[in-house]
Structures are given as structure tokens and as C-alpha cells.
Amino acid sequence: MPGRLYTATMGRLVAAFYDRTMRQPQEAGLAAKRAALVGRARGATLEVGAGTGLNLEHYPSAVTELILAEPGPHMGARLARRATGRAEVVRAPAERLPFPDARFDTVVATLVLCTVADPAAALAEMARVLRPGGRLLFMEHVRAEDPGVARRQDRVLPVWRFVADGCHPNRDTLAALEASSLQVEDVSHERLPKAPTFVRPLIVGSATR
């Protein structure tokens, strides 16, 4: 019970301060990265782990339907307020998406695969709900290629997971994508601006079903 209470409290705090915490990275270039990536969305679109909705303003008119999935009740409440009249909000984890097969043209995942309990299952679900030829657009911070930074990511993991609502800064998400049924079509290695060194390595790209 104490562990659950602590986790719930941290989830509430992360949701309350998330936009404020992300303000500097957003202003230093993260918002532009979001806009460039999300601007590629087309047709019926699902965003997985939508958080407080920082991608919402960047979806183009080519998106004909927008559904935002978010498992956290506190993030979800903030997301619902931001999305009013612009998108449907569904409370669901990435590993168990409540949608039929081949439902979407585009799936978006930004800074979410670091937090899911089972990345392989989450990617399998994203692939399942994509139509043949559909596209996953991703932006994720990942395990560093620099061995020294990677060791630091490993060391901070136990503490960081709790203070950052389950985030694993040392996940090799690109390897998980390449091992999935999706075909990675483009990926760029970038940096998360104004972020601690151990969460700075970033991949941005797309994969198709």
C-alpha cells in the first residue's frame, strides 16, 4: 500500500508540473521537433501516451480524425481539458489499445516508450491498429551510444523511474523498433534540448506497417 500511495502521489505531481518542467525544452527547440514530426500525420490518427497534450496544436488539417490515448488519470484529466472540442480522449495503456485491427492511418508516440511496462507489447499493439502501409511517427529519448553516459543512465534508473513517473532513460528503443513487425523507414539521432545529459539522446523518425 505505501508503494502504491507513493506511485499515485508521484503521478499526480508529475502531471501537475509536467508542462512547467517541459517549458525550457519546448522553447529551446522541442516544440519545433514536435511540429515537424506531428505535421506528417495523415488520416485517422491515434496518439499513444498523449500526456498533457503538448502535440495537440501541431496536428495538420490532413488529420481527419484524432484520438488521444493516455493511461494516467492525472495526465488524462489535463489532456481532456486541453483537447476539448479538438480530439477524443481515451484512457488506455499502449500495451492494450481498445481499437480494432487496422483502425488508423497514423500512430504517434512521443516521449512515451520510455515509460511503458512492456515496449515490445506496446509496439505490437501500435502495429496491430495501423492499416497496411500506415505509419508510426516516433520521437523518443534512448540509451546513449556513449558508454559513459549509458553507464550513468543505468545508475540513475532506480531513482529516475520514480521521480519521472516510470521513465527508463536507458532503453534501447531503436532496437525494439527494429525487432518489431514495423519497418523503420527513417530515423535521425538528435538531442533533447535543455535536458539532463542522461535523457538527452533522442531518436526521431517513422516506421511503417
Side-chain angles (χ1 to χ4, degrees):
M1 184 65 69
R4 291 181 182 177
L5 179 60
Y6 179 76
T7 300
T9 300
M10 288 308 299
R12 185 179 291 108
L13 287 173
V14 169
F17 290 97
Y18 187 80
D19 286 3
R20 187 181 304 178
T21 301
M22 296 300 291
R23 184 174 300 154
Q24 283 194 331
Q26 286 282 106
E27 293 174 350
L30 181 58
K33 293 181 188 295
R34 290 181 187 274
L37 181 71
V38 173
R40 299 170 61 185
R42 297 290 184 272
T45 298
L46 168 69
E47 182 175 345
V48 177
T52 62
L54 292 180
N55 288 331
L56 191 57
E57 64 180 302
H58 303 303
Y59 283 101
S61 59
V63 171
T64 56
E65 178 187 18
L66 180 58
I67 298 178
L68 309 176
E70 169 55 45
H74 307 297
M75 286 281 196
R78 293 173 181 274
L79 176 63
R81 288 195 292 270
R82 182 170 272 160
T84 299
R86 304 173 66 185
E88 179 184 354
V89 176
V90 175
R91 186 175 174 188
E95 300 94 329
R96 296 186 303 278
L97 297 173
F99 307 107
D101 296 354
R103 170 71 171 79
F104 297 99
D105 300 292
T106 308
V107 172
V108 175
T110 62
L111 306 180
V112 62
L113 288 170
C114 61
T115 64
V116 298
D118 188 339
L123 287 168
E125 277 290 88
M126 293 180 203
R128 180 185 66 78
V129 301
L130 275 172
R131 293 170 183 161
R135 178 172 284 117
L136 168 65
L137 303 174
F138 60 85
M139 178 170 64
E140 300 288 341
H141 65 84
V142 295
R143 186 173 184 84
E145 295 179 337
D146 182 295
V149 177
R151 285 193 296 271
R152 186 178 179 194
Q153 290 175 321
D154 293 338
R155 287 196 300 269
V156 303
L157 174 62
V159 173
W160 189 251
R161 281 179 58 191
F162 287 105
V163 301
D165 202 24
C167 173
H168 295 66
N170 58 347
R171 276 200 174 149
D172 191 346
T173 298
L174 181 56
L177 280 160
E178 292 172 339
S180 75
S181 62
L182 296 164
Q183 180 67 44
V184 176
E185 58 179 357
D186 65 84
V187 60
S188 61
H189 293 262
E190 303 182 21
R191 291 288 182 268
L192 188 63
K194 295 291 184 179
T197 304
F198 58 87
V199 293
R200 202 170 295 164
L202 191 74
I203 57 170
V204 183
S206 65
T208 57
R209 177 181 171 188

